[in-house]
Amino acid sequence: MSLLEVDGLSRDYRGRGPGSPVTHALRGVSFELGAGETLAVIGESGSGKTTLMRLLLALDGATAGTVRFAGREVVPGPARTLGWLRRETGIVLQDPYSSLDPRMSVGASVSEPLRALGVSVDHRARVRDVLARVGLDAELAGRYPHELSGGQRQRVALSRAIVHGPKLLIGDEPLSALDVTVRAQVLELLRELHRDLGLAVVLVSHDIGLVQHFAERVLVMHDGEVVEAGASAQVLAAPQHPYTRRLLAAVPRLSS
Ligand code: ADP
Ligand code: MG
C-alpha cells in the first residue's frame, strides 16, 4: 500500500457573489507516493502547488477526488478527528516566521507539537535530539526567533515539523526565502532526514534545478494539472511536455 494515494483531486475556488469567476486551482490530480520516497512538485507560481499540499494535510477540502494516507481517507474536520494525520505528517513553509511564535523560545516551540499531539516521550530529551539532528546547538533552545539567522530559523521550523516522528514531511518552498549558500545546506539537511529517518518527503518548488539534487520522482504542475510525472533523471534528460521543456530552459540548472 502506498503512503499517499491521490486520486482525481480537484479544488475550485468560487469568488463571492453571483457571476464571479471560478478558479480551478486543481484539476484532477492523481499520483502515489511510497513510504520513504522523495517527490518534487514543480511549477510556476499559481499552478496549484500549495493548494495540493493543503489538501494532502486536510487543511482544506477537495471539490472532487480523494486523498488517502496509509489507506485512510483524509478529510478536513475538527482537530480531534485529525490527530492521527498530524502525528504522521509535518510541514515546513517558505517563511519560518509564519510557523514560529516570536514569543516562544526555540525549546518551547519545538516541544509544542509533542504536547499538542500528546506524544509520551521525554520532551526535553527529544528536543535536544532533534536540534542536534538538524545541526543546531542545544544552547539555542533558550533563544527566541528574532535572535536567529534565517537559516537557523528554518532549521528550527524543520525541528518542529519532525519532532513527533512523522512518516511524511512536506516542504512548501522551504528554501525560497534563504540565501543561496544556506539554501544548499538546508537542502542537504532535507536529504539527510530522508536518508537517516526514512522520511518520505514532498518538496514543492518553482525551481526545477532542485529536482536532480533531491527527488527520485517529480510532478510538473501547470494551471492545476499534472502535465508530466516520472523519475527525475528521466524527466530532466528527456522532458516530454512543452511546459516542462520551457521550465528547464528558463532555469539555470545547478551544476551536477
Ligand atoms: P502555487 O502554490 O503553485 O503558487 P496556489 O495553490 O497557491 O499555487 O494557487 C493556485 C490558484 O488558486 C491560484 O490562481 C490562486 O490565486 C488560487 N487560490 C489559492 N488559494 C485560494 C483561495 N483561498 N481563494 C481563492 N483562490 C485561491
Ligand atoms: Mg505556493
Side-chain angles (χ1 to χ4, degrees), residues 136 140 143 147-157 182:
L136 291 175
L140 287 184
R143 303 262 193 93
E147 300 176 286
L148 308 177
S149 69
Q152 286 174 324
R153 273 197 294 272
Q154 200 54 304
R155 285 172 196 265
V156 173
V182 179

Side-chain angles (χ1 to χ4, degrees), residues 49-50 172-173:
K49 306 180 300 294
T50 294
D172 190 351
E173 311 239 14

Side-chain angles (χ1 to χ4, degrees), residues 17 22 29 36 52 55 66 77 117 129 132 144 147 154 168 181 184 191 206:
V22 175
V29 169
L52 177 58
L55 264 59
T66 55
L117 297 169
D129 290 351
Y144 287 81
E147 300 176 286
Q154 200 54 304
L168 170 67
T181 48
R191 220 191 335 231
H206 56 260

Side-chain angles (χ1 to χ4, degrees), residues 52-72:
L52 177 58
M53 297 310 120
R54 290 176 55 78
L55 264 59
L56 297 184
L57 297 176
L59 299 171
D60 188 14
T63 307
T66 55
V67 175
R68 287 176 179 278
F69 187 97
R72 190 164 168 183

Side-chain angles (χ1 to χ4, degrees), residues 105-125:
S105 69
V106 167
S109 236
V110 174
S111 62
E112 193 266 336
L114 298 175
R115 288 191 297 279
L117 297 169
V119 180
S120 51
V121 293
D122 179 339
H123 290 192
R124 268 173 177 276

Side-chain angles (χ1 to χ4, degrees), residues 11-15 21-27:
R11 178 61 164 104
D12 296 338
Y13 290 112
R14 251 156 238 293
V22 175
T23 304
H24 304 288
L26 291 180
R27 311 164 189 247

